[in-house]
Amino acid sequence: MRKQTHPLALTPIAAACATLAWALAASPAWAQQGPANGAAAEDKEVQSVVVTGIRRSIETSMAIKRDSDSIVEAVTAEDIGKLPDVSIAESIARLAGLTAQRVEGRAQSISIRGLAPDFSGTLMNGRELVSTSNNRGAEYDQYPSELINGVTVYKTPDASLAGGGLSGTVDLHTVRPLDLRERSIVFNARGEHNSNGKLNSNTPANGNRLSASYVDQFMNNTLGVAIGYAHLDSPGQQQEYKSWWWGTDNKLPKGDEDVVALKGAEVTATSRKQKRDGLMGVIEYRPSKEFRTSLDLYYSEFKEDTTMRGMMWNSHQWSDVTYNNPQIVTQGGTRLLVGGALVNLEPIVRNDFNQRKDQLGAVGWNNQFKQDRWTLVGDLSYSTAKRREMVLETYAGLGPAGSHITDNNFQFKIPTASGLPTFTPSLNFADPQIIKLTDVGGWGKDADMHHPVVEDSLGSLKLSAKRDLDGMFRNVEGGVNYSKREKTHADTNNYWNLKNGRAPATVSSDLIEPSTSLAFAGIPRVLTYDVLGALNKYYTMQPARPDDQALQDWGVTEKVTTAYGRVGIDTDVGPFPLRGNIGVQAVNVDQKSRGTTVNSGKLGSITGGASYTDWLPSVNLNFDLDKYLSTTNLRFGAAKTVARPQMSDMRAGISGGVDATTRMWNGSGGNPQLEPWRANSYDLSMEKYMGKRSYIAGALWYKKLQSYIYNQQTAFSFAGFPNPSAVVPIQDIGTLNRPANGTGGMVKGVELSGALDGGLLWAPLEGFGVTGSMSGTESTIHPNGPGTKEKLPGLSGVVSNFTVYYEQSGYSARASRRYRSAYRGEVTGLFAQRAFSEILAERQIDLQLGYAIEQGRYKGLSFLFQVNNLNNSPYQTRQGDPFSGGSYAPERYTTYGRQFLLGLNYKL
C-alpha cells in the first residue's frame, strides 16, 4: 500500500524559534517562574494585579491544558462575551493540530488531526449536539462567539465523556454565573464592511454585530442568572471563476490533436445577506454546599439570502465550438490551449436566488448532590436542529440550444500559474433586447428549484456516581448515558418551464435591475433581473420527479446506551508524581433507517438496521517530571475510539433494476447495516510551563483505523423489489454499490505548540508575546478503497498558526497568520449534495487593534478594530486527476474580500 506522505517541513524561522524556546525552558531562571517553585510570588501577584484581555485568555487556556488529565487544547474568552476571534471556528482553528475549512468565506467546519469533521464529536456543556448539516459534523458558524465562554478540545478521550469522537471531541462552554461571584453587564456593537463592495445591487456591503449579556447573583450567592443575546447581520461578497473540465479532441488544426483545452467554465458574482440571532440563558441554584442545580438554554436562528449572477458555457467536442488564433503552451509535458477566440459559443447567463433558514435549540438540566465522599449527578438534555432551503436557478442567453445564435469571437486568456483568466465576449450580454429567458444549455428545463429539508433531534439522560478515595486512586466513578437521535432528510425538485410552449421571453423593464459586473474576469456585465419576479411572471412549475424525490427522502434513528467506569489516579511512580485516569465504556448502538426503493418510476418502501456493542478502554497518565525537569509534564494516552458512520450513508433507499443483457439485478444506495469507524489511538506529549503565559509542548500521536467506510460492490437480495420491466431476472441476488466497512490504515502526526510572554525575555518587552503551533500529518488510508489514490478528506500535511500580540496600559494589538497545506475537502455540490474538491494551500492573515479605558468615568469602555482575511486569501481548487504529464489544471479561484469590523464594548 502506497503511503500518502505529507512531511512536516520546518522553516528556518520556525526551527530557530523552537530551539530558542527549548533552550530558555531549560534555564534555571525560567524554571523558577513555574507554579511549583514560585507559588508564593504568583499568589502575591494575583492579589494585586487583575489581568484581562488577550493575556487573560492565554492564562486561563494554559491552566485548563495544564490541569487536565487528558491531552487537551483550550481557548477561553478574554472577557464575558469576548472570544479572541470573530467566530468560534476561527478561534478553534488556531489550536495545535486543528484546522478549519472555509465555506462561503466563513470558517465553518473543523478537522482534528487530519480527519474530517464527521470523525469528531461536538458537545455543549458536556452534552452531545445535533447538526443542521446532512451528516454529523457541526457547523460552527451557527454558534455566536459572543455567547460562548470557552472551548475545550479533547485529543485523548475521557471515559466519563459521552458522545466523543474518533479524532477528538470539541466541548463548547457557556458561562457559569455562580463561578463569577459578581454582577457583569456587557454591551458590544460593531459595524462591518466587505472590501469586495456590492457585487449585486440588491445586497449590501455593510453589516453589523450587536450583543448584550447580563450575569448576576442573588440570595446570598445561591442563585445565579446569565442571559446573553447576539445579533449578526453580515454581508458576504464572492467573486469566483470555475473551470468545468479539460480534455483533447478540440477541432484544432492537424498536428494539435494532443492539445488539452478547457471544455466549459463559469464566472460568477455572489452576494449573501446573512442574519443570525442567538439567545443563551443559564439559571444556577446552590442552596447548600451539597446540592447544585442548573438549567442551560440555547437557541439560534440563521437566515441567509444568496443572489448569484454570472455566465457559463460549454465548449466540449460535442458542441459546434471551434477556435480562432489558438495559443498553445507546454507545461509539465502537456500542451495546453491557453488563449485565442471561441467561435459558435452559446453562453448561458445565470440569475440564481437561494434562501436558507436554520434553527438550533438546546436545553439541559443538571443536578449535582455531594454527601461526604459521594457525588451524584443527573443530567437531562434535548437538542434540535432544522434546516429549510430553496435553491433556484434561471437561465438566459442569445437563444435556445441549437438555434445557432452564437458569439463568434469570445476571446480568452488562461494563466498557467495561479490567478484569474480573462474572457472577453464580442456581444453585450447585459442587453435585455438580445438576452432572452430560455434553455440555452439544452437541459430540458428553463429553470430549476430544489427544496432541501433537514431535521435532527437528540434527547439524552445521564446518571453517574463518584466516590473520593484515599491512596493511589483518588476517586472511582461510574454511570450510564442513554440517548435517542433522529435525523431526516428530504429534497423536492421541480423543473420550471416558460409559458407559451417554452418560447424565449424578454424580461420586462419593471424586472430589470442594474447589471452585474464580472470585470474581475474580463466580462463587462451580464443581464440582471428580479429572479422571483421573473419566475412568477414567465414560468409554470412542473410536477416533482418522483424517482429523484424518493431517493432524497430518508430517515435514521439511533438509540445509544453508554455505560462507563473510571478510576482517578493520584500517586507516585518512583520519584515522579502521577495523576490521570483509567476507564472503559461499553457502547451499545441500535440503529434503524428508512428509505424508498426506486425502479423506473415504480416506488416501494424499505427499512433496515443493525445493533452492535463496542468496548472502549482508555488510559490517561500525566507524569510530573519536576524533580529532573522543573514544571514539566510527560503525558501518555491510549484508547480505543469509534466514530459512527455518516448518516446519509446509513440511508435505506435504493435505486435498482434488471440488466437486459445479463438479466441480473444491480443498483446503488445506502447501507443501514454500517458499523462505525474503529481505531486504536496512542498519544505521547511533553509540556514545559514557564510562568502563567509561557509554555512549550511537543506531541506524537498515532491512530490505527481497523476499518474505513467506502463504496463497494456487495451482494444484495432484491427480493420484493419493484420490477416494472419485462425482463425477468435469473435470481433475486444481485449487485449493489453502496458504502460498506472495508480496509483501514493509519494516521499519525507530530505537533509543536507554545506561548511566550515577552516580559520573561526582557523587562522592556512586558506586554508583548507570541503564541503558535505547527503540526505534520500523514496517512496510509485510501478513503475510496485499496488501489485508489484519493487523499483522506480533511487531511492537510502541514498546518501552522502564529500570533504576535501586545497588551499594555489599555492598548492591545494582535496579528495572526494561519496556514493550511493542500487537502481534499468535503464541499456542498450541486443542489446541496455532498461532493469533494482538491483544495489548495491557504494562508490567511488577521489583524486586531484595541484600546480599553481603564480609569475614570468611562472605565469599562473599549474600542476595537479588526480585519479578517487581511491578505484576501483566495480559495483555490484544482482538478481531481492530473494530465498524462503529471501536471494539474486549476479548477476554482474564489475571493471573499477583506472583512473590516469597527466597534466598541462596554462593561458595567
Side-chain angles (χ1 to χ4, degrees):
M1 181 179 295
R2 184 175 61 86
K3 291 172 63 177
Q4 299 171 15
T5 303
H6 306 272
L8 174 60
L10 284 175
T11 65
I13 294 177
C17 290
T19 304
L20 174 63
W22 279 116
L24 291 171
S27 69
W30 279 46
Q32 293 174 4
Q33 300 290 331
N37 297 332
E42 290 189 359
D43 289 344
K44 183 178 180 180
E45 181 183 354
V46 168
Q47 295 172 6
S48 59
V49 178
V50 178
V51 178
T52 61
I54 300 170
R55 292 183 293 173
R56 176 183 182 272
S57 175
I58 295 173
E59 281 187 16
T60 52
S61 298
M62 278 181 52
I64 293 171
K65 180 179 179 70
R66 182 181 60 236
D67 298 339
S68 175
D69 282 349
S70 303
I71 298 176
V72 304
E73 305 291 343
V75 59
T76 58
E78 298 174 7
D79 209 333
I80 300 297
K82 191 180 178 184
L83 273 175
D85 290 282
V86 296
S87 73
I88 297 172
E90 297 279 356
S91 294
I92 297 174
R94 300 196 193 284
L95 299 175
L98 279 75
T99 55
Q101 181 174 326
R102 287 193 291 175
V103 177
E104 299 176 353
R106 309 186 304 270
Q108 185 185 81
S109 58
I110 296 293
S111 294
I112 302 177
R113 289 180 161 178
L115 292 169
D118 281 304
F119 285 90
S120 62
T122 304
L123 315 176
M124 179 177 283
N125 297 321
R127 307 179 182 105
E128 190 175 0
L129 287 173
V130 291
S131 170
T132 56
S133 71
N134 288 357
N135 290 294
R136 302 182 190 274
E139 296 181 329
Y140 287 94
D141 56 353
Q142 300 283 351
Y143 301 96
S145 59
E146 297 89 347
L147 303 184
I148 302 299
N149 202 47
V151 182
T152 302
V153 180
Y154 293 85
K155 293 181 175 177
T156 59
D158 187 309
S160 65
L161 208 61
L166 184 150
S167 61
T169 305
V170 179
D171 193 5
L172 311 177
H173 307 294
T174 56
V175 67
R176 302 290 94 184
L178 288 181
D179 291 344
L180 292 182
R181 305 190 69 83
E182 64 178 6
R183 176 185 297 169
S184 176
I185 303 175
V186 178
F187 300 96
N188 183 284
R190 282 175 287 175
E192 181 177 342
H193 175 73
N194 188 289
S195 65
N196 276 345
K198 293 175 59 173
L199 298 182
N200 288 279
S201 61
N202 64 329
T203 56
N206 301 321
N208 61 80
R209 298 173 181 233
L210 306 171
S211 66
S213 63
Y214 169 76
V215 182
D216 209 347
Q217 302 79 32
F218 306 92
M219 300 168 57
N220 197 25
N221 285 321
T222 61
L223 177 66
V225 176
I227 301 172
Y229 169 75
H231 171 76
L232 169 75
D233 186 349
S234 178
Q237 304 290 345
Q238 170 185 317
Q239 297 175 327
E240 181 174 86
Y241 156 76
K242 181 183 178 183
S243 64
W244 286 2
W245 59 292
W246 296 70
T248 56
D249 193 4
N250 294 300
K251 302 174 185 175
L252 291 170
K254 187 176 181 179
D256 292 331
E257 292 84 358
D258 63 331
V259 170
V260 176
L262 182 64
K263 298 293 189 175
E266 59 188 76
V267 177
T268 59
T270 302
S271 302
R272 297 180 178 89
K273 297 178 182 178
Q274 299 162 140
K275 293 187 177 182
R276 184 190 62 208
D277 290 285
L279 184 65
M280 174 273 297
V282 180
I283 300 174
E284 276 192 299
Y285 181 52
R286 187 171 55 195
S288 64
K289 293 182 178 180
E290 291 77 22
F291 180 69
R292 182 170 184 162
T293 183
S294 61
L295 180 67
D296 299 314
L297 301 170
Y298 175 82
Y299 176 79
S300 74
E301 184 172 287
F302 178 82
K303 296 180 180 179
E304 182 179 65
D305 289 349
T306 302
T307 300
M308 186 275 279
R309 271 85 181 222
M311 179 187 291
M312 58 178 52
W313 57 89
N314 275 309
S315 52
H316 52 65
Q317 57 265 38
W318 301 284
S319 68
D320 295 328
V321 169
T322 59
Y323 296 91
N324 280 337
N325 190 28
Q327 300 170 25
I328 300 169
V329 300
T330 300
Q331 181 176 355
T334 301
R335 299 180 71 208
L336 299 175
L337 181 62
V338 298
L342 293 161
V343 181
N344 298 324
L345 188 68
E346 298 178 307
I348 305 166
V349 174
R350 287 281 293 271
N351 278 251
D352 296 0
F353 182 70
N354 305 335
Q355 288 183 316
R356 174 171 174 169
K357 180 179 180 180
D358 296 346
Q359 293 173 295
L360 276 170
V363 57
W365 182 32
N366 182 272
N367 294 276
Q368 185 177 111
F369 179 75
K370 292 184 178 182
Q371 183 68 46
D372 297 327
R373 295 189 168 195
W374 285 94
T375 301
L376 306 178
V377 177
D379 192 275
L380 184 66
S381 64
Y382 180 78
S383 64
T384 180
K386 296 180 181 179
R387 187 182 97 221
R388 304 283 190 274
E389 285 189 83
M390 180 197 74
V391 182
L392 172 61
E393 297 181 355
T394 67
Y395 321 117
L398 298 170
S403 65
H404 304 292
I405 308 174
T406 60
D407 188 328
N408 295 314
N409 189 25
F410 191 94
Q411 298 181 33
F412 66 96
K413 185 175 182 180
I414 303 173
T416 55
S418 62
L420 286 166
T422 301
F423 303 99
T424 308
S426 64
L427 301 173
N428 181 7
F429 281 85
D431 185 351
Q433 299 307 311
I434 64 172
I435 304 301
K436 316 279 188 184
L437 301 175
T438 188
D439 179 13
V440 185
W443 296 330
K445 56 187 177 181
D446 299 319
D448 191 287
M449 180 183 288
H450 279 256
H451 284 280
V453 177
V454 174
E455 295 190 2
D456 199 355
S457 63
L458 186 148
S460 178
L461 172 65
K462 180 178 181 180
L463 302 172
S464 68
K466 181 172 71 174
R467 177 176 172 80
D468 294 331
L469 304 174
D470 295 321
M472 66 177 295
F473 298 115
R474 69 175 185 268
N475 56 53
V476 60
E477 180 180 352
V480 62
N481 186 91
Y482 173 80
S483 67
K484 180 180 179 181
R485 183 173 188 174
E486 296 180 288
K487 188 155 196 153
T488 61
H489 178 276
D491 185 359
T492 302
N493 176 216
N494 296 98
Y495 288 175
W496 290 68
N497 286 338
L498 289 162
K499 298 175 182 178
N500 302 318
R502 300 186 63 196
T506 300
V507 180
S508 59
S509 59
D510 60 307
L511 298 177
I512 297 294
E513 297 182 354
S515 58
T516 300
S517 171
L518 303 178
F520 63 91
I523 301 171
R525 292 188 174 275
V526 293
L527 179 68
T528 301
Y529 50 84
D530 179 345
V531 181
L532 293 178
L535 189 76
N536 294 327
K537 186 172 183 178
Y538 297 108
Y539 298 80
T540 56
M541 185 176 71
Q542 307 304 302
R545 294 172 295 158
D547 287 20
D548 291 345
Q549 183 171 345
L551 290 174
Q552 294 297 327
D553 185 6
W554 53 264
V556 174
T557 300
E558 291 178 330
K559 297 178 181 179
V560 182
T561 303
T562 303
Y564 77 93
R566 189 187 70 165
V567 175
I569 301 171
D570 194 350
T571 186
D572 293 328
V573 177
F576 304 112
L578 169 66
R579 61 183 173 88
N581 59 65
I582 299 175
V584 64
Q585 288 184 342
V587 183
N588 176 261
V589 178
D590 182 13
Q591 64 192 36
K592 291 181 172 60
S593 176
R594 63 161 181 83
T596 306
T597 58
V598 177
N599 186 358
S600 301
K602 189 72 173 179
L603 307 180
S605 60
I606 186 172
T607 59
S611 181
Y612 53 85
T613 299
D614 282 290
W615 290 86
L616 307 177
S618 63
V619 57
N620 289 285
L621 303 177
N622 184 3
F623 296 89
D624 186 346
L625 307 182
D626 188 68
K627 184 172 182 179
Y628 298 99
L629 295 171
S630 61
T631 61
T632 301
N633 295 336
L634 178 66
R635 298 178 183 269
F636 172 76
K640 182 178 180 180
T641 56
V642 299
R644 291 193 291 279
Q646 293 195 353
M647 303 188 89
S648 60
D649 285 346
M650 296 166 62
R651 68 192 188 279
I654 293 174
S655 173
V658 181
D659 186 276
T661 302
T662 64
R663 294 176 55 201
M664 293 290 292
W665 282 101
N666 62 80
S668 62
N671 188 352
Q673 289 83 39
L674 276 178
E675 295 198 7
W677 291 284
R678 297 182 172 97
N680 295 325
S681 304
Y682 306 93
D683 290 79
L684 184 66
S685 172
M686 180 174 284
E687 303 163 359
K688 168 72 177 180
Y689 294 92
M690 302 159 284
K692 293 184 176 181
R693 294 185 293 275
S694 299
Y695 83 98
I696 187 168
L700 300 171
W701 58 272
Y702 178 91
K703 295 182 185 294
K704 175 64 176 178
L705 272 72
Q706 306 302 315
S707 68
Y708 200 87
I709 297 171
Y710 51 88
N711 279 357
Q712 303 176 43
Q713 295 285 350
T714 61
F716 183 79
S717 174
F718 286 84
F721 203 88
N723 182 21
S725 74
V727 181
V728 179
I730 297 174
Q731 59 182 19
D732 290 335
I733 303 299
T735 303
L736 186 66
N737 184 281
R738 61 175 178 172
N741 296 94
T743 304
M746 72 84 186
V747 186
K748 64 181 180 179
V750 56
E751 296 169 356
L752 180 66
S753 63
L756 177 61
D757 185 352
L760 291 181
L761 285 175
W762 186 33
L765 292 179
E766 181 66 31
F768 287 94
V770 295
T771 65
S773 67
M774 180 175 289
S775 62
T777 308
E778 61 181 52
S779 173
T780 60
I781 296 174
H782 296 272
N784 292 333
T788 59
K789 57 186 177 181
E790 289 82 6
K791 295 185 297 184
L792 191 65
L795 189 149
S796 288
V798 177
V799 174
S800 65
N801 297 278
F802 183 78
T803 298
V804 57
Y805 67 86
Y806 173 78
E807 188 175 54
Q808 191 82 340
S809 303
Y811 293 95
S812 64
R814 182 176 63 212
S816 302
R817 178 187 182 271
R818 186 170 72 240
Y819 170 77
R820 179 177 191 178
S821 64
Y823 65 102
R824 182 171 180 251
E826 182 175 329
V827 299
T828 301
L830 286 175
F831 310 120
Q833 298 303 302
R834 180 185 174 206
F836 293 94
S837 280
E838 295 292 321
I839 302 172
L840 301 187
E842 295 181 334
R843 298 169 178 84
Q844 180 171 319
I845 298 174
D846 303 321
L847 175 68
Q848 177 178 305
L849 304 173
Y851 176 70
I853 300 175
E854 299 180 332
Q855 295 180 350
R857 61 183 299 185
Y858 296 111
K859 181 182 178 181
L861 180 64
S862 60
F863 303 90
L864 184 68
F865 174 68
Q866 292 173 282
V867 186
N868 197 38
N869 194 22
L870 177 65
N871 57 330
N872 197 15
S873 174
Y875 174 86
Q876 300 178 82
T877 65
R878 69 181 187 185
Q879 64 177 19
D881 297 312
F883 297 130
S884 58
S887 60
Y888 287 83
E891 178 189 52
R892 187 191 306 258
Y893 189 97
T894 307
T895 60
Y896 302 104
R898 299 170 181 84
Q899 184 183 27
F900 296 94
L901 297 105
L902 178 63
L904 56 85
N905 188 82
Y906 186 55
K907 181 180 180 181
L908 296 174

